[in-house]
Amino acid sequence: GLGAAVAVELGKLGAHVVLTARTQGGLEETDDAIRAAGGSATLLPLDLKEGEQVDAIGPSLYQRFGRLDVLVHAAGVLGKLTPVSHLMPHDWADALAVNLDAALRLIRTCEPLLRQAPAGRAVFVTDERAREPLAYWASYGATKAALERFTQGLAQELAQYEGISVSAVSPSHVVPTPGTIHHKLVTGMDDPKGEHPSYMARAALLLASEPAAKVNGRVTYSQQILKEFGLIEQAGGRGIDSAGSGYSQI
């Protein structure tokens, strides 16, 4: 998935990566990839829907590391693609818990650690559905739209701290993952219409490393930001072929 791709890229650069996921198997697979790339990781199995588990992340990281350089929230729940009137409250609650509530709890527990870093960064993964509404995607789109406004409000609050930045990035094309394959957004992991996870990984890395003045508050697309900063020559999809709307243009 996207989180694993970002983690591997950070590991390649020498960062010690703290991985969170619900399943031990997924964590170990990503850990193997990070170590194969020359990096190191700490595995932290937890469910982002369990708020008390998320709240404990900050104290745990402080006790071991004293600071946090980069926070990436890449987990997402598509939820049930169904008419709004058919949405079950527990499905709505799941989407809110992972896509939005977890972002709040992560910031509440990790912001002090980001301020301890020389240039703390928070990067959130968003989606086109935040800016391009589509029938049956109301719960996912609503949570991602709220996440983008959350990102920009938080960015203004933290601008007072030198070097810190908060941003969000969306794929320019659908990224093949088990979830997007399940919902038939792509035909498989090798669908040529899909965007390789490396684009999102590189975009997140860019947002985590460029001067805060250039990226704080940005809500952008993967290929758009990579082309803007000269990391790729050819680009396409959202942010390139279509400019997007709403928060992505602020």
Side-chain angles (χ1 to χ4, degrees):
L2 295 180
V6 174
V8 172
E9 289 300 314
L10 287 169
K12 286 180 182 177
L13 295 177
H16 182 82
V17 183
V18 178
L19 302 171
T20 66
R22 288 179 299 169
T23 64
Q24 186 71 25
L27 287 173
E28 291 176 353
E29 183 178 345
T30 305
D31 182 39
D32 289 342
I34 291 172
R35 293 183 186 280
S40 61
T42 295
L43 310 187
L44 192 60
L46 61 82
D47 187 344
L48 288 175
K49 290 184 289 186
E50 300 297 331
E52 291 184 357
Q53 294 183 19
V54 181
D55 294 342
I57 292 175
S60 176
L61 294 181
Y62 178 76
Q63 189 173 41
R64 180 163 181 184
F65 303 109
R67 76 184 201 205
L68 178 63
D69 295 296
V70 181
L71 168 67
V72 179
H73 177 29
V77 170
L78 290 177
K80 294 290 182 66
L81 304 186
T82 186
V84 171
S85 59
H86 294 182
L87 271 173
M88 298 300 293
H90 64 85
D91 291 323
W92 174 259
D94 283 351
L96 278 174
V98 175
N99 300 344
L100 188 58
D101 293 349
L104 169 62
R105 286 185 177 272
L106 284 168
I107 289 299
R108 278 170 47 87
T109 193
C110 292
E111 180 189 313
L113 298 176
L114 292 171
R115 295 207 308 263
Q116 290 295 319
R121 304 303 171 94
V123 180
F124 298 102
V125 173
T126 183
D127 188 87
E128 61 175 311
R129 292 283 76 87
R131 301 169 294 281
E132 299 177 18
L134 187 65
Y136 313 126
W137 287 74
S139 63
Y140 185 67
T143 55
K144 290 299 186 179
L147 178 65
E148 293 188 1
R149 183 57 82 195
F150 173 86
T151 295
Q152 292 179 314
L154 178 63
Q156 291 194 23
E157 292 177 15
L158 298 185
Q160 62 182 298
Y161 301 105
E162 184 177 356
I164 200 165
S165 75
V166 185
S167 56
V169 60
S170 169
S172 289
H173 298 282
V174 176
V175 177
T177 67
T180 57
I181 293 171
H182 172 76
H183 288 288
K184 297 181 171 55
L185 302 178
V186 288
T187 58
M189 295 299 289
D190 57 352
D191 189 333
K193 295 183 296 183
E195 178 174 289
H196 194 276
S198 62
Y199 283 99
M200 280 291 287
R202 293 172 65 193
L205 193 60
L206 183 155
L207 292 167
S209 57
E210 287 290 331
K214 293 184 178 181
V215 297
N216 190 38
R218 289 293 299 269
V219 176
T220 186
Y221 294 92
S222 55
Q223 296 192 35
Q224 177 187 31
I225 194 80
L226 290 173
K227 188 173 185 353
E228 177 183 333
F229 281 80
L231 297 185
I232 58 174
E233 294 184 3
Q234 300 297 321
R238 292 171 181 85
I240 301 295
D241 301 329
S242 58
S245 61
Y247 307 144
S248 63
Q249 300 304 297
I250 295 175

